[in-house]
Amino acid sequence: MRDWFNRRGWRDLIIATPYAWLIVFFLIPFLIVVVMSLAIMKSASPPFGFHEAFPWIDLGNFARLFQDTLYIRAFVSSLINALIATLLCLLIGYPMALGITRVSKSWRNILLMLVILPFWTSFLLRVYAWIGMMGSNSWFNKLLTSIYNFAVPSEWALKSIPMMNTSFAVVLVMVYSYLPFMILPLYANLEKLDTTLNEAAMDLGSRPWQVFRDITLPLSIPGIIAGGLLVFIPATGELIIPSLVGSSANPMIGRVIADEFNSARDWPMASAVAVALLFLMVLPMVFYNHYEAKAQNAGGKP
Amino acid sequence: MAATDTGAAAAPFVRIEGVTKTFGTFRAVDDVSLDIAKGELFSLLGGSGCGKTTLLRMLAGFEQPTLGRIFIDGQDMTSLPPYERPVNMMFQSYALFPHMSVEQNVGYGLKHEDLTPAQRSARVKEMLELVKLSELAGRKPHQLSGGQRQRVALARALSKQPKLLLLDEPLGALDKKLREHTQFELMNIQDRTGITFIVVTHDQEEAMTLSSRIAVMDRGVIRQVGTPNEIYEFPSNRFVADFIGSINQFEGEVIRTGGGMTDVSCPVLSGTVKAATDATPERGSKVTVAVRPEKITITRKAPSGGVNVVRGTVRDLGYFGKDSLYRVKLESGHLVLVNSVNTRRSDEGGRVAQWEDEVWLSFEPSSAILLTD
Amino acid sequence: MTRRPLFLISCLCFGFAFFYIPILSMIFFSFNKSRLATVWGGFSLQWYGKLFDNDQIMNAALLSLQIALVSATFATILGTLCGLALARFTQFRGRTLFSGLVTAPLIMPEVITGISALLFFIFLAELTGWPGKRGFTTITIAHITFSMTYVAVIVQSRLSSMDKSIEEAAMDLGSRPWQVLRDITLPVISPAIVSGWLLAFTISLDDVVITSFTTGPGATTLPILVWSKVKLGVTPDINALATIIIVVVGIGVAISGYLMHRADKIRERDIQMAIAANT
């Protein structure tokens, strides 16, 4: 026994324990969803079944994905919302990350702490904070409304700006919630850049914005991609934000899955949408892996 | 290549037999055989990627040879894991355990030996005294300077009283002044403990001063094994001649041999060169005549009746205080390096010649090295 | 560079205003006397008092903490093993599938993870009779599965940046591979393991979606309770709860930041001393 442990048992145990756990509690549940997506809804308990004859499975759910505009619209609005949120995060996060690398070391730690702090507080409460801000009675909405009324002709004046239950609200709260995921990888990337490169470029006659365009930006592409994926992927499948601040007429895909499952109790359809969503998510990952492999080949061993 | 000199006695302490190590298609070490005697301070010298570190790691047991065998003190070590070998290693990065104090670092290896706590702490104390670190026993590695870390690494590697100590670039991370001092300390410790040392280094000066013998490696192959003197004065091939110090090489063809002397016709020297050799290369074979810069005499007047004399003009010269380095252009256009000691004190730095001066170069037949490959 | 990057500084100011104005607004209105959470009606601490009298909230908070403690601990153990396996054992059968299983939960939308866990528990109950009632155990298992992969990523990246020669040195000094793991590797990566535990703990404490699928009657965690209240609209007692959470987290972060800063200072001084001692 002791001999077995010394020789290779310790190694087998290290691999097998988490492997078994992930197979039982992750892989098998996932396979159940895949199989479920090929079933049909039945009014039984549990509410699904298979055809009684060969080939048993049913592709009707996947066909419905393309026939029912609800699903296509939900996919499109999820992708668009996630994309806009990612771009806005980049637009706000990039200068912030760059700014943090340019302040003194003690300030740097404080600012990083301030970026991370909201992340450690509850996600739900961050969404809640914006619900308070966006309501038609809130000071923030009133402030925006008076600025708006001041700027536009009086016949366009509004009593309050409708913010809640719109795609605007969804994007705004997603940007707010996921901004740290953009800033942190970008900061990690920008901080490692050699500042003497900037000095060399300036020494060779580049103005600051040219230095940024020619040196900093190209070298920070890995950080942009990492941050972009960290925002885009969870934003696409987001459930909480669209449920709380989004419009129910124009739902995002995560909400469609949850509604199919909980309200409509159409487990097979919910599974089919889920499988389709995963396919959609795998694409950017494949792109990213391809990019990374290429980058490693280019900058790998001499 | 087998060692043919005095270092390897009849029963070698470390025997490397036809060892090859491949990584994929890359041959890091290519059919190396080597014998090392007990108590030697042996160096593996070569540029980066020459296979010296891979060879060392196979001795330590971190890599398995693809082919061949390794014996230490008569025992076959080839397939033994590192923790069962009577061998210890001093790592290039020192690899001190960051979460342990100096004392704990040095005592770590002793946990696996049959020692009472008293014996163990006595051994740790002895080791720390050996490297003069007793007063820093409680410090953590990050509280030490580079030189102190190096000594902790040495004490830790010696603590188990290994039969063989492997040192990977032991002085590489130290600054120049500390390196010279530590070099002698290392030799001193080797002398006192009597442990066989194998040192990997890329620094030829370090190898020359430290070692009793050196193996020069290139692309996985040992090119020559010998004492520092043999390696420098009697390089056996062009690679070694070129790698150690600087040297002038003249290509030529053998035209006459006999009487311990070989005549070589060298077009770049516009004449015939006499070289004293034991070997008798075949007439008409292509050879290279190699001469060290300091073995060439530079004069303003033609030397009377000597052999191996050639005329040229000074193109460049560098003044180093105690000596000067000349680059002399021969009539054939070939550039020759000459090193000459500044024996006289003068405004001109005691130099024999100035820029564009016409000079005569000459060297003894015994200074010429004949290389056939 | 001597010029102050004005543009970047103003971006930072804007960004942090964006981060903190909603939070400060939320804290401000927690002291509101009025029932309407967004209209100021005078100062009051009544919502804090109500919060501590509310058994439902206190029980939910307790359950959340229990689940987070248990799941973070198991997730840390399993995740550390994952990280070790991926970083140190480059060849074993099924490694590709294994590394896929470790990364998949990271990109899987939580809805899907939640649904698949729920379906799994339903079928498991049909087949074996267990779990008869979903609640603490099922939530904990789902949280472990989800957060162990975060721990694995942290541990793996720490291991791959670690100087491997210290492990070789230990082996060279006579330690068997598992002894090296115990004496050297685990102590050296322990800061990464601790931060992995903290991350797993907060993930569990914060999770709504997966919990909402794997929970059962009677097992209401704090996020689930907040979720059901928020769906009904803004109420000042949630503001009070949020304020307490932010203050607790803020103090925690500030203390750990101070401790890290002090450790840095001590380290710097030690290095200075070492250099001085050497000359």
Side-chain angles (χ1 to χ4, degrees), chain B residues 92-156:
Chain B
Q92 182 174 11
S93 64
Y94 306 144
L96 299 182
F97 308 133
H99 58 299
M100 296 186 189
S101 66
V102 167
E103 212 169 5
Q104 288 167 325
N105 261 288
V106 175
Y108 182 77
L110 303 173
K111 287 210 302 192
H112 306 288
E113 305 217 322
D114 259 343
L115 293 176
T116 64
Q119 284 171 316
R120 198 187 305 163
S121 64
R123 181 86 69 81
V124 171
K125 220 175 136 217
E126 182 193 334
M127 286 300 135
L128 289 177
E129 269 162 24
L130 183 71
V131 296
K132 307 189 184 85
L133 276 179
S134 303
E135 68 274 29
L136 300 180
R139 291 249 186 118
K140 288 276 180 70
H142 73 264
Q143 297 170 307
L144 301 175
S145 69
Q148 290 164 342
R149 282 182 214 180
Q150 194 257 8
R151 282 185 278 160
V152 178
L154 184 62
R156 188 179 70 179

Side-chain angles (χ1 to χ4, degrees), chain B residues 26-57:
Chain B
F26 175 66
R27 289 175 98 81
V29 173
D30 193 356
D31 193 20
V32 164
S33 295
L34 202 57
D35 287 348
I36 296 164
K38 197 173 173 67
E40 265 199 279
L41 207 166
F42 191 92
S43 286
L44 294 167
L45 175 64
S48 66
C50 71
K52 57 190 193 301
T53 301
T54 309
L55 190 58
L56 195 75
R57 290 171 60 80

Side-chain angles (χ1 to χ4, degrees), chain C residues 137-158:
Chain C
T137 316
T138 51
I139 298 172
T140 306
I141 287 176
H143 283 192
I144 292 170
T145 313
F146 178 56
S147 50
M148 68 184 272
T149 56
Y150 286 88
V151 181
V153 170
I154 292 177
V155 169
Q156 191 192 353
S157 76
R158 177 68 189 91

Side-chain angles (χ1 to χ4, degrees), chain A:
Chain A
M1 180 70 191
R2 197 181 161 74
D3 204 41
W4 167 84
F5 182 80
N6 271 336
R7 199 152 31 84
R8 54 168 304 160
W10 65 281
R11 187 172 175 275
D12 288 352
L13 279 177
I14 285 177
I15 297 170
T17 316
Y19 207 160
W21 181 281
L22 283 171
I23 285 178
V24 173
F25 294 114
F26 184 78
L27 186 62
I28 291 178
F30 174 67
L31 291 178
I32 292 175
V33 170
V34 173
V35 173
M36 181 71 78
S37 72
L38 300 170
I40 46 173
M41 186 166 84
K42 281 191 175 160
S43 50
S45 174
F48 76 99
F50 289 95
H51 291 299
E52 265 143 36
F54 185 81
W56 298 291
I57 58 165
D58 187 284
L59 292 172
N61 296 320
F62 288 98
R64 255 175 75 196
L65 280 180
F66 297 97
Q67 288 153 1
D68 196 334
T69 53
L70 166 75
Y71 303 112
I72 296 171
R73 270 188 15 237
F75 271 116
V76 170
S77 73
S78 297
L79 287 179
I80 289 177
N81 284 350
L83 203 64
I84 296 174
T86 309
L87 289 177
L88 285 175
C89 278
L90 183 63
L91 227 55
I92 302 172
Y94 198 104
M96 285 183 77
L98 195 60
I100 296 175
T101 63
R102 296 288 156 81
V103 296
S104 70
K105 196 164 180 286
S106 46
W107 265 104
R108 209 181 273 195
N109 288 336
I110 292 171
L111 293 184
L112 277 180
M113 206 76 93
L114 285 176
V115 172
I116 300 168
L117 188 63
F119 170 77
W120 287 100
T121 65
S122 163
F123 178 78
L124 207 50
L125 292 176
R126 274 177 288 156
V127 182
Y128 175 76
W130 272 103
I131 296 178
M133 296 268 286
M134 291 191 298
S136 50
N137 280 328
S138 74
W139 64 269
F140 183 68
N141 197 328
K142 282 182 180 150
L143 180 75
L144 285 187
T145 311
S146 40
I147 292 172
Y148 173 82
N149 288 345
F150 181 75
V152 300
S154 53
E155 57 264 34
W156 290 6
L158 290 172
K159 256 183 83 186
S160 68
I161 297 175
M163 283 200 277
M164 278 297 286
N165 304 325
T166 59
S167 288
F168 168 77
V170 173
V171 171
L172 176 70
V173 178
M174 285 206 295
V175 171
Y176 182 72
S177 305
Y178 292 126
L179 193 52
F181 293 116
M182 180 62 89
I183 295 178
L184 294 176
L186 268 177
Y187 169 77
N189 177 281
L190 289 168
E191 191 234 16
K192 269 186 278 173
L193 296 188
D194 186 354
T195 48
T196 54
L197 293 181
N198 293 3
E199 287 166 8
M202 261 189 275
D203 184 57
L204 294 168
S206 291
R207 306 196 155 273
W209 72 270
Q210 290 170 321
V211 174
F212 173 76
R213 186 196 60 192
D214 298 341
I215 310 293
T216 313
L217 192 61
L219 287 175
S220 62
I221 285 176
I224 294 177
I225 290 183
L229 283 172
L230 280 180
V231 175
F232 183 79
I233 285 177
T236 313
E238 182 57 52
L239 173 63
I240 296 179
I241 295 172
S243 302
L244 288 179
V245 303
S247 84
S248 45
N250 193 14
M252 277 176 69
I253 200 69
R255 194 166 167 188
V256 170
I257 297 175
D259 286 350
E260 287 289 357
F261 195 87
N262 290 328
S263 321
R265 283 189 72 74
D266 189 344
W267 292 5
M269 192 61 215
S271 304
V273 182
V275 170
L277 175 60
L278 270 182
F279 253 109
L280 218 61
M281 308 279 256
V282 164
L283 284 180
M285 282 316 284
V286 169
F287 165 75
Y288 178 64
N289 280 342
H290 174 75
Y291 174 86
E292 231 188 9
K294 218 170 70 180
Q296 262 175 6
N297 278 345
K301 285 180 179 176

Side-chain angles (χ1 to χ4, degrees), chain B residues 199-210:
Chain B
V199 177
V200 151
T201 178
H202 68 277
D203 183 333
Q204 42 170 299
E205 264 176 59
E206 191 178 307
M208 299 287 252
T209 34
L210 269 180

Side-chain angles (χ1 to χ4, degrees), chain C residues 108-131:
Chain C
M108 186 100 117
E110 283 181 299
V111 200
I112 304 179
T113 313
I115 287 179
S116 55
L118 173 56
L119 289 176
F120 172 74
F121 288 128
I122 289 173
F123 285 113
L124 196 64
E126 295 260 313
L127 285 174
T128 66
W130 184 90

